[in-house]
Amino acid sequence: MSVPHEAKPRTTAVVLAGGTGQRVGLAIPKQLLKIAGKAVIEHTLTIFQNAEEIDDVIVLMAPGFVPDVEKIVAKAGLDKVTRVIEGGNTRNETTERAIAALGEGLADGEDRNVLFHDAVRPLLSQRVIKDCVDALDRYQAVDVAIPSADTIIVTRTHGEDGEFITDVPDRSRLRRGQTPQAFKLSTIRKAYEVAAGDPNFQATDDCSVVLKYLPDVPIHVVAGDEYNMKVTQPVDVFITDKLFQLASTAAPRQADEAAYRKLLTGKTLVVFGGSYGIGADIAALAESYGAKVYALGRSTTGTHVENPEHIDDALSTAYGESGRIDYVINTAGVLRIGKLAETDNTTIQEALNVNYLAPVQIARASYKYLAETQGQLLLYTSSSYTRGRAEYSLYSSTKAAMVNLTQALADEWAGEGIRVNCVNPERTATPMRTKAFGQEPEGSLLSSQAVARTSLDVLLSALTGHVIDVRQQDPTAGAAESSGFEQALASVLDRQEDV
């Protein structure tokens, strides 16, 4: 006779969002500050929404701002968030309110897992979440920490003479604490009950409460991540925004061919730069799944993307014939190599017109059509957008502009339900590249068909405001084990050699 497995306890993420943003110099709480097109807290909540180990989420928000978070939750469809509660005046009081809320409705003897996480740590990886929840199978309290790369000193102040070093602890034993901090609910509740009897009780984190008031409870340490940073100082806002900009996002693939056909049948795509290369492959692939496709290009339809009238006419024709426009894609571009001081005005103007002004005009003209269908604008950048290089100044700078344009429009058009994304292929076998570099070794370049397939996946996804890398070694492989930020760090190093 088999013995039934004990049911796994429910796991709740508690997002602590009680900060006021004073250290960042803001009039609003820092968790409502927008980074990469979304409020910091939305990025954080989305991480837990996507975590298989998390059953539900509650938010403890700064007083007066609960409705702001409720609006974010509703608009983003974050259905794991069950409650948004007003936090207390101190970290201790906020945690106590969370503990009280978590205990509501629990049967006698019932326990649950709880992860306390700072709302202003929006770069948390799924790996850390999983490690914390797994550790709670064996331990009652879990912290997340990383080694200290800096030497830590202990000082003492001597009047007007300032600070002096009194000790230099062994760095090999020092760790920098992060969040989440994970507990059995019964454990953290008991720690706070004991602490309530201490008239001098004060703590800035929850593991220290367990350490002091339940000294017999071991606190296990899970390895954190360097990029699980806390947005506290103004420089943190800049760094976090850049990490999001560089992060590689993988678009989910459809289950099978039938799924692509179901999603694309009856939809209309307008592809600028559709004469050859990536654009032509996107057009052919979408058409094979039943979409109505308008592939436009200089050599096939006489469409010049640098001419706003051509853009308007193309979109108007597509809408007039099909009655809708669901996706607008621009793969048109020119690659001119050379020293800027030796480049003539005609070449400069061409690069600006085709690589920058054309996407801007396409975006502006597409807005009214995409707002009607809540569709998507898909742009393209280059692996050189992260770092301009000699003799690629025009190309690199305009491709960097595409990333900023994508993130700005994703934010600007979010209210209308329009998604905007940017595909970043590594070196790809296209006629434009062949013209610039000649024939290159077979197998050294990504195929345009592979980029087209990923582009289609992006169009059919819920992503917006993202840069999606397409590399010969598929970034989706092993995505469950590594985060987009780990991929980003590796990609940035790789891009030093890409064009």
Side-chain angles (χ1 to χ4, degrees), residues 8 53 129-139 142:
K8 193 172 182 67
E53 295 79 12
I129 294 175
K130 185 178 188 305
D131 286 355
C132 285
V133 176
D134 287 347
L136 287 176
D137 288 340
R138 296 186 58 192
Y139 306 98
V142 179

Side-chain angles (χ1 to χ4, degrees), residues 13-22 26-34 39-42 44-45 57-73 81-91 93-99 101 116-120:
V14 176
V15 175
L16 302 171
T20 61
Q22 291 180 347
L26 298 172
I28 61 171
K30 55 193 173 184
Q31 53 270 26
L32 295 179
L33 176 71
K34 282 195 173 181
V40 170
I41 195 169
E42 183 177 344
T44 303
L45 292 175
V57 181
I58 66 172
V59 182
L60 278 293
M61 186 57 190
F65 292 93
V66 167
D68 297 83
V69 177
E70 290 176 334
K71 288 178 183 177
I72 289 171
V73 168
V81 180
T82 57
R83 299 179 67 180
V84 182
I85 305 168
E86 193 169 274
N89 295 320
T90 65
R91 169 64 182 264
E93 186 180 337
T94 297
T95 300
E96 288 168 351
R97 291 189 182 188
I99 291 171
F116 291 98
H117 185 66
D118 297 324
V120 289

Side-chain angles (χ1 to χ4, degrees), residues 284-486:
L285 191 58
E287 201 165 43
S288 73
Y289 290 127
K292 177 70 173 176
V293 179
Y294 292 83
L296 308 159
R298 184 188 300 261
S299 61
T300 52
T301 61
T303 304
H304 294 240
V305 292
E306 63 270 36
N307 188 327
E309 292 183 3
H310 286 198
I311 294 170
D312 288 334
D313 289 346
L315 292 168
S316 178
T317 298
Y319 184 80
E321 293 180 2
S322 68
R324 61 186 297 135
I325 296 177
D326 300 276
Y327 307 108
V328 176
I329 302 101
N330 178 49
T331 65
V334 294
L335 173 58
R336 300 291 181 258
I337 304 170
K339 296 178 180 179
L340 184 61
E342 299 172 2
T343 304
D344 59 63
N345 287 333
T346 300
T347 301
I348 292 173
Q349 196 62 53
E350 178 198 38
L352 294 177
N353 287 343
V354 176
N355 292 349
Y356 180 68
L357 292 179
V360 169
Q361 296 289 359
I362 289 170
R364 186 172 67 166
S366 300
Y367 171 79
K368 62 181 179 180
Y369 302 108
L370 296 177
E372 189 175 298
T373 59
Q374 294 194 321
Q376 181 175 164
L377 172 67
L378 188 61
L379 303 173
Y380 288 76
T381 185
S382 156
S383 54
S384 64
Y385 84 87
T386 61
R387 178 177 177 268
R389 281 178 285 281
E391 301 190 17
Y392 292 88
S393 57
L394 291 173
Y395 188 71
S396 295
S397 58
T398 54
K399 289 304 178 181
M402 288 305 96
V403 173
N404 286 280
L405 180 64
T406 294
Q407 293 178 330
L409 291 180
D411 187 12
E412 189 174 318
W413 293 353
E416 288 76 21
I418 304 173
R419 288 162 290 126
V420 187
N421 289 296
C422 190
V423 170
N424 175 35
E426 69 172 347
R427 296 171 297 175
T428 305
T430 63
M432 180 182 76
R433 184 174 180 90
T434 301
K435 182 178 179 181
F437 296 101
Q439 291 297 324
E440 297 175 86
E442 186 176 351
S444 64
L445 302 178
L446 187 67
S447 73
S448 59
Q449 292 85 358
V451 180
R453 171 64 69 176
T454 297
S455 299
L456 209 59
D457 289 331
V458 175
L459 291 176
L460 299 178
S461 75
L463 296 173
T464 189
H466 286 275
V467 177
I468 296 91
D469 280 354
V470 189
R471 309 183 73 77
Q472 288 199 74
Q473 290 187 340
D474 186 357
T476 62
E481 290 75 32
S482 62
S483 76
F485 301 100
E486 287 171 319

Side-chain angles (χ1 to χ4, degrees), residues 92-93 95-96 99 187-203 205-215:
N92 303 152
E93 186 180 337
T95 300
E96 288 168 351
I99 291 171
T187 300
I188 191 65
R189 180 197 287 127
K190 184 177 180 181
Y192 270 86
E193 287 172 352
V194 176
D198 181 355
N200 299 315
F201 169 55
Q202 187 175 2
D205 77 293
D206 299 307
C207 279
S208 65
V209 180
V210 173
L211 181 66
K212 182 173 182 179
Y213 297 102
L214 298 179

Side-chain angles (χ1 to χ4, degrees), residues 10-14 54-58 102 112-115:
R10 191 170 186 82
T11 299
T12 300
V14 176
I54 301 300
D55 296 301
D56 60 294
V57 181
I58 66 172
L102 289 166
R112 71 164 69 189
N113 298 332
V114 55
L115 276 65

